[in-house]
Amino acid sequence: QYGQYGEECIAFELKNSGIDMYILHDIYLEFEDLSAQIDFLVITKRHLYVIECKNYTGWIFGSENNLYWYQTLYSGKSGVHKESFYNPILQNKSHINAVSDYLNFQKEYINSCIVFGREAVLKAVPEDDQYCFIEKYQRFEGKLMNRICSSPRRLSVNEITRIYSVLLPCTNVPEEVKKKHKQNIREKYR
């Protein structure tokens, strides 16, 4: 429920940004023996942006290469509670690889955006780089718009149209595809 609300807020911000872009939501890709579910893919004349939404609360700790990150919650009675979750940088790298392979498209034109919810406190997470940034929802749109506006044009109208038309059907997949992907994820990260 909360995750859906966070994605709705991001969709609203993207649609009302005033920047010329295509926005695809909830994309399911199957390529060879792999599958990926992508929260958002934004297509601009400059880059593609793969957006992963993480609606965690509490303090967030993680590094670029650790397999898992940690969410730390504090409560008066029970003290500290720590939960692990798969590294969103690695998760989005696999999404970028899937998009690149599926479209036969250069990875250097695909950027990673990881967005945490309002209640997260990003205590120890990697610094932004040329291809990836991590931000809280409140500052996400401004950072994305700065990146879009400061990049040179790289994609032609024909490329943008091709990418959109190839990926659009991947936003409307049968329930079996969604279930199969969830099962693959459960088996992979047991």
Side-chain angles (χ1 to χ4, degrees):
Q1 195 77 323
Y2 182 70
Q4 182 179 351
Y5 173 74
E7 289 184 22
E8 287 171 3
C9 290
I10 288 173
F12 177 84
E13 295 295 335
L14 291 170
K15 289 176 185 172
N16 292 287
S17 67
I19 301 273
D20 192 24
M21 65 175 73
Y22 287 99
I23 304 162
L24 296 169
H25 178 244
D26 206 20
I27 300 168
Y28 284 83
L29 297 179
E30 293 184 301
F31 191 77
E32 295 174 357
D33 61 341
L34 302 173
S35 67
Q37 183 275 326
I38 298 167
D39 293 335
F40 289 95
L41 188 123
V42 173
I43 306 164
T44 73
K45 58 188 172 186
R46 293 167 166 87
H47 282 97
L48 306 183
Y49 296 89
V50 175
I51 302 171
E52 178 62 29
C53 304
K54 294 295 181 194
N55 289 304
Y56 290 99
T57 59
W59 289 7
I60 305 298
F61 298 89
S63 69
E64 185 173 352
N65 297 313
N66 285 3
L67 191 57
Y68 292 98
W69 283 23
Y70 295 93
Q71 166 195 36
T72 302
L73 301 165
Y74 295 92
S75 84
K77 293 182 180 181
S78 59
V80 176
H81 178 72
K82 213 175 195 182
E83 290 284 330
S84 64
F85 60 96
Y86 185 62
N87 179 338
I89 294 174
L90 297 178
Q91 182 181 7
N92 239 15
K93 279 183 182 178
S94 69
H95 293 166
I96 287 169
N97 289 337
V99 169
S100 176
D101 291 346
Y102 196 82
L103 295 172
N104 192 23
F105 188 77
Q106 303 117 308
K107 285 181 208 165
E108 62 265 22
Y109 298 146
I110 308 173
N111 285 204
S112 175
C113 310
I114 299 157
V115 184
F116 281 87
R118 295 178 191 272
E119 302 300 318
V121 178
L122 304 178
K123 290 302 261 185
V125 298
E127 295 289 321
D128 298 347
D129 66 26
Q130 179 180 355
Y131 298 106
C132 178
F133 74 82
I134 301 165
E135 192 56 79
K136 287 182 61 169
Y137 165 75
Q138 299 90 312
R139 293 186 297 273
F140 156 73
E141 185 206 3
K143 190 175 273 190
L144 179 63
M145 296 313 122
N146 285 339
R147 286 202 175 211
I148 290 172
C149 293
S150 65
S151 298
R153 182 182 187 111
R154 293 196 163 95
L155 302 176
S156 70
V157 172
N158 287 342
E159 286 176 302
I160 293 168
T161 303
R162 179 188 78 83
I163 291 166
Y164 182 76
S165 62
V166 168
L167 292 177
L168 182 62
C170 301
T171 64
N172 189 22
V173 298
E175 283 303 312
E176 309 92 67
V177 172
K178 295 176 183 183
K179 286 178 183 175
K180 181 180 172 190
H181 172 72
K182 287 177 184 172
Q183 182 62 35
N184 288 345
I185 294 300
R186 268 189 235 106
E187 289 173 9
K188 185 175 180 180
Y189 299 108
R190 275 188 187 174

